[in-house]
Amino acid sequence: MDETLLMLPGPTKVAPRVLKAMSDNIVNHRSAIFGEIYTETTELMSEIFKTENKSYLLTGSGTAAMEAALSSIITPGDKILNVVGGKFGQRFQQITNMHKAESKELTIEWGDSVTPNQIKEALDEDEEIKAITLVHNETSTGVSAPIKEIGKIMDNYDALYIVDTVSSLGGDRVDVDKYGIDICVTGSQKCLAAPPGLAAITLTDDAWKVVDSVDSTSYYLDMKKYRKSGAGTPPETPYTPSVSLIYAIFEALKIIKEEGLDNRITRHETAAKATRNAVKALGLELFPKEEVSSTTVTAVKMPEGVTDPQLRGTMRNEYKVELAGGQDHLKGNIFRIGHMGNITYKELAITFSALGMTLKKLGFDIDPGVGVSAISNSYI
Ligand SMILES: *Cc1c(COP(=O)(O)O)cnc(C)c1O
């Protein structure tokens, strides 16, 4: 078994209980037994989303839910406002284009966050915007967007509010009903700490009205089919679901309930603060502006004179700690430390101990223990 410590913004470490759940026998996915498991799992999913509305599980990674959201509400030619400040904002835009809607891009500098006022201005400029897409936690840059405050703005417009909480749900504050989010999507392998391969989505009545008014441009991801099958007796999915992964996410969601969602978010906030403190203690620089920095992943500028293979390679090969690199133009320029899912002081202590040693080995004149020390001080 590979013992490498995954400090990634997904996939994250999965609890043994969750892995064990996946070894349960496969049942008929058209049976009452499965219907019960599916119902209980989606009900728990709605609790974590903080919505009274139903949730649906899709077999596919987080991107499947992003595509389900857009393909279910787009009629070719529609105008969609895409907030683009990183890789995942871009993905929403690419999906928008793929389904032949017109993307209006609200460009945000990578490392910064959109403001509610920018959203307001963009919506005032064009009354025909049918929906906006926003990534709550832009994993590629380590930036968190103010989804609550933007929700207040969205109250004054008919445009649907579509939010990607793939790398925040279960780790940062998401309250679908209170924030007025019309379509919220997430994935299994990030803060929920389940294995990769499942996505979840929830829609409000307003969103369903739009869904009912369009012909989906996707066969597999047509949300009307998920609603119909989900309301059947027994409740089902339209196509064969990944039964084992549903056992796994069911167990992972139960763990979240046992920990308490608020406690879990506080744990993530502590980990984020500790990580930023340790990064700074080692003399490294944060990539995003600190006031908009993520609760679940920290992006760090690659120190001068060090390459990505040197830094992440040493971490991986010598110390068995896996960090994430940068994407697109940030490749080689940043590295990212994921602290989502089941991360505690323990994993951070190991990570920063290894990072201190790595930097020392690469010729930095530092005390390799200052990062770990900052972690300890952040936790007492
Ligand atoms: C990981 C992630 C996704 C989905 O990526 P998949 O590889 O399809 O799971 C979408 N949005 C954000 C913000 C993510 O971090």
Side-chain angles (χ1 to χ4, degrees):
M1 199 174 83
D2 192 83
E3 295 286 353
T4 300
L5 175 60
L6 296 185
M7 295 299 286
L8 301 175
T12 59
K13 197 171 135 192
V14 172
R17 249 174 84 179
V18 173
L19 293 172
K20 193 159 160 273
M22 273 201 297
S23 65
D24 277 358
N25 204 5
I26 304 298
V27 295
N28 177 7
H29 62 288
R30 306 284 180 218
S31 66
I33 287 187
F34 183 76
E36 215 166 283
I37 294 169
Y38 182 69
T39 303
E40 284 185 45
T41 309
T42 52
E43 281 173 2
L44 272 181
M45 212 48 250
S46 289
E47 268 188 57
I48 308 295
F49 273 130
K50 295 205 174 186
T51 181
E52 296 290 324
N53 294 313
K54 284 198 179 330
S55 298
Y56 298 87
L57 293 171
L58 310 175
T59 301
S61 68
T63 306
M66 295 170 79
E67 187 155 17
L70 282 169
S71 63
S72 295
I73 61 123
I74 285 175
T75 297
D78 283 344
K79 285 184 189 171
I80 307 289
L81 178 70
N82 301 121
V83 180
V84 182
K87 186 91 187 158
F88 294 101
Q90 243 172 20
R91 186 166 299 178
F92 259 146
Q93 181 176 42
Q94 288 163 352
I95 296 169
T96 298
N97 290 331
M98 176 72 78
H99 293 275
K100 307 217 162 23
E102 187 187 324
S103 166
K104 304 212 70 173
E105 178 176 334
L106 176 49
T107 314
I108 306 300
E109 197 185 331
W110 290 38
D112 204 348
S113 167
V114 68
T115 64
N117 201 42
Q118 283 174 298
I119 301 277
K120 183 178 179 305
E121 282 172 6
L123 288 169
D124 284 341
E125 215 168 86
D126 191 338
E127 284 183 358
E128 290 175 4
I129 289 170
K130 188 177 193 176
I132 82 160
T133 66
L134 178 66
V135 176
H136 179 203
N137 187 75
E138 182 45 85
T139 319
S140 63
T141 60
V143 166
S144 176
I147 54 170
K148 180 181 179 184
E149 291 72 16
I150 292 170
K152 286 194 188 125
I153 299 287
M154 294 304 296
D155 273 351
N156 306 318
Y157 299 86
D158 288 336
L160 293 178
Y161 186 26
I162 304 177
V163 182
D164 165 339
T165 61
V166 178
S167 62
S168 58
L169 190 78
D172 196 356
R173 279 163 221 288
V174 177
D175 195 323
V176 168
D177 286 354
K178 264 206 197 127
Y179 302 173
I181 299 171
D182 289 296
I183 306 184
C184 194
V185 300
T186 200
S188 54
Q189 80 278 23
K190 311 260 168 115
C191 306
L192 302 180
L198 284 182
I201 182 168
T202 183
L203 299 90
T204 57
D205 290 345
D206 283 351
W208 281 116
K209 261 184 221 146
V210 177
V211 172
D212 283 326
S213 72
V214 312
D215 291 322
S216 170
T217 46
S218 167
Y219 185 89
Y220 192 72
L221 299 171
D222 181 354
M223 286 314 301
K224 287 198 222 34
K225 294 182 188 145
Y226 288 84
R227 178 181 56 187
K228 183 160 184 271
S229 302
T233 314
E236 304 177 340
T237 53
Y239 317 108
T240 312
S242 174
V243 173
S244 312
L245 285 175
I246 290 175
Y247 296 159
I249 202 168
F250 189 24
E251 200 63 28
L253 295 175
K254 283 189 217 162
I255 290 176
I256 295 178
K257 281 266 291 188
E258 286 164 17
E259 180 176 12
L261 187 54
D262 280 344
N263 294 338
R264 188 178 179 90
I265 293 166
T266 306
R267 176 167 61 72
H268 279 79
E269 285 167 345
T270 308
K273 188 97 192 36
T275 301
R276 291 195 295 270
N277 289 345
V279 163
K280 289 186 277 187
L282 283 167
L284 301 173
E285 246 184 283
L286 299 168
F287 173 69
K289 292 188 180 160
E290 187 154 3
E291 62 274 19
V292 296
S293 60
S294 160
T295 304
T296 63
V297 57
T298 297
V300 185
K301 289 184 186 165
M302 191 63 73
E304 201 75 40
V306 175
T307 66
D308 181 80
Q310 282 175 327
L311 188 130
R312 287 198 307 124
T314 307
M315 289 290 285
R316 177 189 310 121
N317 300 328
E318 307 252 338
Y319 304 116
K320 301 278 178 276
V321 178
E322 188 75 28
L323 302 180
Q327 295 165 295
D328 289 351
H329 67 272
L330 295 178
K331 197 169 179 190
N333 297 325
I334 64 165
F335 65 92
R336 294 171 299 149
I337 303 168
H339 32 79
M340 52 179 77
N342 297 320
I343 302 300
T344 64
Y345 77 93
K346 220 198 288 181
E347 290 78 16
L348 290 174
I350 293 168
T351 302
F352 279 94
S353 163
L355 188 54
M357 291 189 282
T358 298
L359 292 171
K360 183 89 186 170
K361 265 200 170 168
L362 294 173
F364 282 74
D365 181 22
I366 53 159
D367 167 0
V370 290
V372 192
S373 174
I375 295 292
S376 312
N377 282 317
S378 306
Y379 273 90
I380 47 171

